[in-house]
Amino acid sequence: MIRQAVLEYDHADDALDRLYELVSGRRAHVLRGQNGYDVVRDIYPAITDYPTTQFRGECTDAEVERLKQKDIDVLIAIGGGKLVDTAKLVAYQCNVPLIVIPTLASNCAAFTPLSVVYRKDGSYDRYDIFRVVIERVIVDPRVIARSPYEYFRAGVIDTVAKFYEARYLSGDSSIDAGVNTGLALAEQCGRLVELDLSKAAFESYSDDIRFAVDHVLAVGGAVGGFGDAGTRVAVGHAVHNALSRFASTHAFLHGDKVGFGLIVQERLRRSADASYLEAWLKRFGAPTTLETLGIGPDDIPVLVDSVMTETELQQLPAPLNRGYLKIIFENLQLSIYK
Ligand SMILES: [Zn+2]
């Protein structure tokens, strides 16, 4: 099935200035995060005309219940990925449309009709797919350029992952039109490695950055919207999930751990791109050894078991070779192997 959630995506230097016109007299309510709201208010002071509720930081069923609003016509979400995931569920359950103002370019939550839901204790519960109407995603460079660079960098890696993981699952092309379109979009995401996405470029909001932001926020989300199961996550994300069980990795962002997982995945498939990808991640400041992630040689057997359990849950084209996976982790333990 092909699914899309977004009617309009507006990435322009004055995108926020058109919010008033878009709301157009309807009763709006703002769901706001911890940091980004103040930046939006600086640029667009009229945002304070709308009542707000503060998001508590996790997308849980209890939080969705708490945030449900009566007597509103439209919900406005201002924040990062978890807030957007929560707002989509709230809008869907209240049967109102949603306007999203991302304050970070770090994920494609604004472009997908699904939410990742967590349990009360913070552990992963499930993801829900539903028919949410996102009227417009408002991407204003005045907001994005003021967000932390590290989040953008991790978002780029998670977007480049769409290419490597979709190719792992479905190869270079498919007779299914949706999967084939997803693969073409994923290939475009893979080209972000060729751009100058340095911190200096980010702060000046260069054309390369603008192009990358569109891929992180929109095109990356459309990959799964078209390709569905044929372009979902593969070994890169399975390694991410396995790494996340080690407390030492909690300080690293999602995309950084996925990047390491991609090195493992590409080595497993003996891809000619493996060393290129690894060099790019290193230049980009992402971890490329287990040592950097705080994982020692003694942890490797547990890590291997964890990845094997994770990959059983994914629809991989073939089962993984446990012995080879272990050798790859051993080789990625220290940087002396490079
Ligand atoms: Zn991801």
Side-chain angles (χ1 to χ4, degrees):
M1 191 192 286
I2 295 173
R3 289 188 189 90
Q4 303 291 321
V6 176
L7 299 179
E8 296 179 332
Y9 171 86
D10 187 12
H11 183 185
D13 293 340
D14 59 350
L16 260 180
D17 302 343
R18 287 188 282 277
L19 178 63
Y20 182 78
E21 198 185 307
L22 178 64
V23 172
S24 175
R26 288 178 293 172
R27 293 169 300 176
H29 193 94
V30 171
L31 185 55
R32 55 176 284 192
Q34 299 283 348
N35 305 309
Y37 181 80
D38 295 345
V39 177
V40 170
R41 192 184 50 202
D42 284 353
I43 295 159
Y44 184 75
I47 195 72
T48 54
D49 290 354
Y50 308 119
T52 67
T53 306
Q54 175 95 37
F55 175 55
R56 289 187 181 154
E58 288 297 343
C59 181
T60 61
D61 288 322
E63 181 69 345
V64 169
E65 210 48 50
R66 184 182 76 85
L67 294 170
K68 277 190 193 168
Q69 304 293 326
K70 286 195 186 98
D71 305 322
I72 64 163
D73 303 314
V74 59
L75 187 68
I76 303 174
I78 303 179
K82 284 186 176 179
L83 180 140
V84 174
D85 268 7
T86 310
K88 286 186 288 190
L89 269 173
V90 172
Y92 171 67
Q93 293 187 15
C94 293
N95 203 19
V96 294
L98 179 66
I99 296 167
V100 180
I101 306 173
T103 54
L104 300 167
S106 65
N107 58 77
C108 56
F111 227 78
T112 53
L114 62 88
S115 296
V116 182
V117 183
Y118 293 84
R119 294 192 194 94
K120 261 190 213 151
D121 63 5
S123 65
Y124 169 82
D125 184 8
R126 63 182 198 276
Y127 70 87
D128 288 348
I129 297 178
F130 45 85
R131 290 175 302 281
V132 61
V133 175
I134 300 174
E135 281 192 357
R136 187 180 292 174
V137 179
I138 297 176
V139 186
D140 197 308
R142 294 171 291 182
V143 176
I144 302 297
R146 280 173 64 179
S147 67
Y149 173 70
E150 291 64 34
Y151 282 83
F152 167 70
R153 192 176 56 78
V156 168
I157 297 170
D158 204 27
T159 305
V160 166
K162 308 269 180 192
F163 165 62
Y164 288 101
E165 296 196 290
R167 185 176 67 171
Y168 185 93
L169 292 173
S170 296
D172 294 328
S173 66
S174 167
I175 54 160
D176 179 283
V179 174
N180 207 44
T181 305
L183 286 171
L185 296 176
E187 191 186 351
Q188 207 171 283
C189 292
R191 297 220 190 99
L192 296 186
V193 299
E194 295 159 15
L195 304 181
D196 172 12
L197 304 179
S198 61
K199 195 169 185 200
F202 181 71
E203 281 161 2
S204 69
Y205 218 78
S206 67
D207 289 345
D208 277 2
I209 295 294
R210 199 175 283 266
F211 186 84
V213 166
D214 283 338
H215 282 74
V216 174
L217 292 174
V219 180
V223 169
F226 279 101
D228 208 1
T231 54
R232 284 218 189 101
V233 297
V235 179
H237 274 78
V239 172
H240 160 277
N241 296 346
L243 288 171
S244 298
R245 298 188 192 183
F246 292 85
S248 64
T249 70
H250 293 174
F252 291 87
L253 294 171
H254 172 86
D256 286 333
K257 285 178 268 190
V258 170
F260 181 82
L262 290 181
I263 299 174
V264 175
Q265 174 184 299
E266 292 306 296
R267 285 192 179 198
L268 266 173
R269 63 189 290 269
R270 296 181 163 85
S271 156
D273 297 338
S275 54
Y276 179 81
L277 173 74
E278 196 171 330
W280 175 72
L281 287 166
K282 207 172 176 189
R283 274 202 313 280
F284 212 21
T288 55
T289 66
L290 282 177
E291 190 189 33
T292 316
L293 290 161
I295 294 176
D298 298 344
D299 297 323
I300 289 176
V302 180
L303 185 59
V304 170
D305 284 346
S306 231
V307 174
M308 295 305 289
T309 316
E310 285 288 339
T311 51
E312 275 169 21
L313 308 174
Q314 331 259 347
Q315 293 167 315
L316 301 184
L320 297 191
N321 180 330
R322 174 187 286 266
Y324 191 38
L325 181 65
K326 184 163 180 276
I327 292 168
I328 289 169
F329 278 129
E330 284 162 2
N331 288 340
L332 287 169
Q333 173 61 42
L334 291 168
S335 51
I336 50 169
Y337 291 97
K338 291 214 190 71

